[in-house]
Amino acid sequence: MNEEHQLSTELQRGTKAKLLLEDPLLTEAFQKLESEYFDAWKQSSVEATEQREKIWLMYATVSSVQAQLASVIVTGKMAEDQLKVIQQRRKNGIW
């Protein structure tokens, strides 16, 4: 896969990730899960260590998914910037 094709792929992935994170239904789902998991964790007994750890892991997983999507967005933006440089160099006869 050549560099431009790879950059274009990263740009497309970033665009899709941005659409997902901005989707109202997915945003609502993330917020609902975070709220439910956090409330369940707060209401669990201190003695129920294993249960609390599982709940906290589920809570953290929601944030991890959001962070992964945000990372794909950043990578897509960087790819877009690199593609612009390549296009500008071609336009100027440098590439």
Side-chain angles (χ1 to χ4, degrees):
M1 182 180 324
N2 70 21
E3 181 183 10
E4 281 184 80
H5 182 69
Q6 185 175 357
L7 291 171
S8 292
T9 298
E10 292 299 332
L11 175 56
Q12 290 172 0
R13 287 171 40 87
T15 301
K16 288 178 183 178
K18 187 174 188 296
L19 289 172
L20 285 172
L21 278 183
E22 292 176 349
D23 183 274
L25 187 58
L26 190 58
T27 300
E28 178 186 333
F30 282 145
Q31 290 172 347
K32 181 175 170 123
L33 289 172
E34 283 181 326
S35 178
E36 286 179 5
Y37 293 152
F38 190 73
D39 288 345
W41 178 79
K42 282 191 321 187
Q43 294 172 10
S44 63
S45 167
V46 175
E47 292 81 26
T49 306
E50 187 174 330
Q51 177 192 15
R52 290 172 59 85
E53 287 178 0
K54 286 179 182 179
I55 294 169
W56 189 255
L57 181 59
M58 290 187 302
Y59 176 81
T61 299
V62 174
S63 295
S64 294
V65 170
Q66 291 170 314
Q68 177 59 31
L69 289 171
S71 175
V72 172
I73 292 169
V74 170
T75 301
K77 177 62 178 144
M78 291 180 350
E80 179 181 30
D81 293 344
Q82 289 176 321
L83 284 169
K84 285 179 183 177
V85 168
I86 290 170
Q87 291 168 353
Q88 188 62 39
R89 286 182 177 168
R90 273 208 185 108
K91 183 178 174 184
N92 295 332
I94 298 171
W95 196 280

